Amino acid sequence: MKILHTADWHIGKVLHKQSLQEEHKHFFDWLLKTMADEEVDLLLISGDIFDLANPAAKDRELYYNFLSQLIGTKTSVIITGGNHDSIGVLNAPSEVLSALNIHVIGGATEYPKDELIEIKGGSDSLEVVVAAVPYLRDRDLRHIDTSHKQSSRVEAIREGIKKHYDTLADLSKELYPKVPLIGMGHLYTKGSITSESEREIQIGNTAAIEAKHFSDAYAYMALGHIHRPQVIDKNEFIRYSGSPIALSFSERSDDKIVLIVSIEDGKVLSPNVVPVPKFRALKKVAGSLEKVIEQLDSYKNESTLPAFIEIEVKEDNFSSQVLAQVENLIALHKTDDRFIILKSKVNFKNGSKDTADLFKSGTNVEDLTPQEVFQRKLESENATPEEQATLKEAFSELLEYVHEQEGL
Ligand SMILES: [Mn+2]
């Protein structure tokens, strides 16, 4: 039996006002071909299917179009909800999809057993059980008790996550003692390396669980949420597939992958890393205005789609002429078929200091995360480091609460 692990598709993602639908289409075509070539029996998608809780019609269409192409193939699918997904949106078609061998677990289920999914092999024998754990929301993990101190609330969330996985491991051992168990998850694990495109969860990532907290019963953990592919705690059986396409400029040099895990004679073998082709290059071009112009002129695009370019012009002395020239440069390349300039920044070493209060000159508020905006606000206040830490945690919790309301 062959299992393909992927996550964090973020269908509908917009990067600096530019839709990523084209790279999603290319990725889906490639994925369908890869699954057919590799004879994949089971596809696991560990959360963040959509970027928004309420996806646009064209994004839902893309999703169903992909799923419809699996009908009639031997591949089963398990889809779990991430922190970006709406439980309702994912679960709405689950009855229909289950008839097509597509299992959807949008949010934590009422009965733990409903998160255990049996997957049969060619000879109709049970070959693997999957603990399809979606993103666990605050209300799935603890009852809010305001008398608790911050540290114990963090502890409560961590314990809640651990208990959820333990319950499923115990249940699986009891019901299917001889069948390998694979876990799914959409969470932050301690020690993982983030990029700029994940939202913080679990009280600003402080309630992270550690790899050692997962029961030994899990032969493989197919994780989602972190967009850089990585192995956790040097254990190749606990890993993030990462997002299949770059979702921010911070991921421009990352290799994007999916994983193929084989089970032979009831044993899970070392996962195979399968690189996803780079359908679009993301590139940063930095230097003096002259250098930037030079690099843009000589740029050769080697990917299928036009590159997305971020430019950063660095000059010594403030000059409104330079600012105007950068604007012209962007306009000049509007019709360039090699690349699209998505983001631009101008830094003057001896810049105009008057704009450097909350937002340094050259920074657009849309390029900052809410946490970064809050951090800058904190820096402009006279708060002690302890006060800042408390305020930051409170801010993270409020932000997560707002995002969770969106996902209901
Ligand atoms: Mn994600």
Side-chain angles (χ1 to χ4, degrees), residues 8 10 47-48 83-84 186 197-199 224-227 247:
D8 294 277
H10 287 265
D48 284 356
N83 57 308
H84 280 248
H186 193 91
S197 55
E198 302 101 356
R199 268 183 205 152
H225 180 58
I226 305 294
H227 296 164
L247 300 168

Side-chain angles (χ1 to χ4, degrees), residues 240-287:
Y240 287 95
S241 61
S243 59
I245 60 172
L247 300 168
S248 68
F249 275 100
S250 69
E251 294 160 55
R252 63 182 177 270
S253 317
D254 293 3
D255 290 324
K256 294 300 184 184
I257 64 160
V258 298
L259 293 143
I260 294 185
V261 184
S262 300
I263 301 180
E264 275 175 28
D265 302 323
K267 206 175 168 328
V268 175
L269 308 180
S270 291
N272 271 343
V273 174
V274 183
V276 177
K278 210 173 222 179
F279 305 109
R280 190 190 306 272
L282 265 69
K283 200 176 154 56
K284 183 173 181 175
V285 173

Side-chain angles (χ1 to χ4, degrees), residues 61-244:
E61 198 182 320
L62 196 62
Y63 171 64
Y64 289 118
N65 189 330
F66 170 78
L67 293 180
S68 70
Q69 293 186 67
L70 291 170
I71 299 170
T73 69
K74 63 162 190 164
T75 312
S76 309
V77 185
I78 303 178
I79 297 164
T80 54
N83 57 308
H84 280 248
D85 292 309
S86 151
I87 298 172
V89 168
L90 284 195
N91 278 351
S94 62
E95 293 282 319
V96 176
L97 291 177
S98 72
L100 303 167
N101 254 336
I102 300 169
H103 310 269
V104 182
I105 308 283
T109 56
E110 194 179 347
Y111 304 105
K113 193 180 176 305
D114 293 340
E115 285 173 27
L116 285 183
I117 296 170
E118 303 174 358
I119 301 290
K120 288 178 174 161
S123 54
D124 220 32
S125 60
L126 186 57
E127 282 202 30
V128 66
V129 172
V130 178
V133 182
Y135 168 57
L136 300 172
R137 287 172 161 76
D138 220 62
R139 68 197 157 102
D140 302 325
L141 297 170
R142 66 176 173 101
H143 299 288
I144 292 162
D145 179 351
T146 46
S147 67
H148 278 190
K149 279 195 191 127
Q150 187 70 20
S151 62
S152 62
R153 287 161 68 205
V154 167
E155 198 50 46
I157 289 180
R158 188 182 295 130
E159 275 304 311
I161 297 171
K162 190 176 173 300
K163 201 172 152 233
H164 194 102
Y165 280 94
D166 283 348
T167 303
L168 291 174
D170 292 344
L171 200 57
S172 176
K173 264 189 238 167
E174 186 189 319
L175 297 171
Y176 319 101
K178 292 194 171 116
V179 184
L181 174 66
I182 284 185
M184 291 172 81
H186 193 91
L187 40 76
Y188 175 86
T189 311
K190 203 176 162 196
S192 44
I193 300 158
T194 58
S195 62
E196 282 171 6
S197 55
E198 302 101 356
R199 268 183 205 152
E200 287 187 350
I201 50 172
Q202 297 144 9
I203 318 191
N205 295 342
T206 53
I209 77 160
E210 294 174 46
K212 65 173 186 215
H213 290 146
F214 293 121
S215 152
D216 289 344
Y218 293 100
Y220 180 78
M221 287 299 302
L223 300 178
H225 180 58
I226 305 294
H227 296 164
R228 292 208 155 113
Q230 56 199 286
V231 163
I232 295 301
D233 207 18
K234 295 181 185 148
N235 182 342
E236 61 169 338
F237 296 98
I238 303 179
R239 58 204 297 168
Y240 287 95
S241 61
S243 59

